[in-house]
């Protein structure tokens, strides 16, 4: 796969400042970075974004995540490696990512389960991570960003 975008606007400071502020806002939410990695990975798997799947795995390993958990996040419902809180965040990720063609989205049940495990600030950070991941997944799929490359 060859990237369609030759100039990624790396010289546009406003773009990178905005993205940096979003990352800071997510980090300020107090959510374990390993959980945010799992959220990023699951959304990226659903969207078929190889660049973000690659980045999630690399980032997860850097944050201390295990291969076992990274490899099984696609089957998190059946895998015994995740806490109830992580399962709630992954269900939220799937509901917020799968909005197409009459999908249920984030049901009241999912929302209640997430709020049983996380503070409002943490839920906000997880939601922002999901939204930002979906944003990058769509950009990367549009420009055919190959796995192993970086934007900035």
């Amino acid at each position: 796969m060859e990237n369609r975008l030759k100039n990624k606007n790396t010289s546009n400071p406003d773009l990178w400042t905005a993205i940096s502020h979003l990352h800071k806002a997510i980090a300020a939410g107090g959510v374990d970075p390993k959980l945010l990695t799992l959220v990023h990975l699951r959304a990226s798997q659903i969207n078929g974004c190889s660049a973000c799947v690659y980045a999630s795995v690399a980032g997860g390993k850097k944050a201390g995540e295990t291969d076992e958990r990274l490899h099984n996040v696609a089957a998190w419902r059946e895998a015994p490696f995740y806490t109830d809180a992580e399962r709630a965040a992954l269900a939220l990720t799937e509901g917020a990512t799968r909005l197409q063609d009459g999908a249920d989205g984030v049901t009241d049940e999912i929302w209640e389960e997430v709020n049983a495990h996380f503070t409002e600030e943490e839920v906000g950070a997880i939601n922002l991570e999901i939204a930002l991941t979906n944003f990058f997944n769509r950009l990367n799929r549009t420009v055919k960003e190959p796995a192993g490359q970086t934007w900035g």
Side-chain angles (χ1 to χ4, degrees), residues 69-152:
R69 287 167 45 87
L70 291 168
H71 290 301
N72 283 281
V73 76
W76 63 268
R77 285 181 178 82
E78 294 80 25
F81 312 119
Y82 309 99
T83 67
D84 289 342
E86 290 167 335
R87 291 174 187 284
L90 290 168
L92 179 65
T93 301
E94 289 187 2
T97 300
R98 291 186 166 138
L99 298 176
Q100 77 292 349
D101 301 327
D104 289 338
V106 178
T107 63
D108 290 341
E109 180 180 298
I110 291 170
W111 189 252
E112 289 168 12
E113 188 66 19
V114 167
N115 281 280
H117 294 283
F118 299 99
T119 67
E120 190 169 307
E121 186 176 50
E122 290 169 328
V123 173
I126 294 166
N127 275 318
L128 187 53
E129 178 67 28
I130 294 165
L132 188 58
T133 300
N134 280 288
F135 168 79
F136 276 116
N137 291 167
R138 281 153 181 77
L139 285 176
N140 288 334
R141 291 286 312 267
T142 299
V143 302
K144 293 189 173 184
E145 182 74 16
Q149 303 298 308
T150 59
W151 273 86

Side-chain angles (χ1 to χ4, degrees), residues 12-25 132 135-136:
N12 182 341
D14 292 337
L15 171 69
W16 298 107
T17 298
I19 290 169
S20 175
H21 285 299
L22 290 171
H23 283 294
K24 286 178 185 177
L132 188 58
F135 168 79
F136 276 116

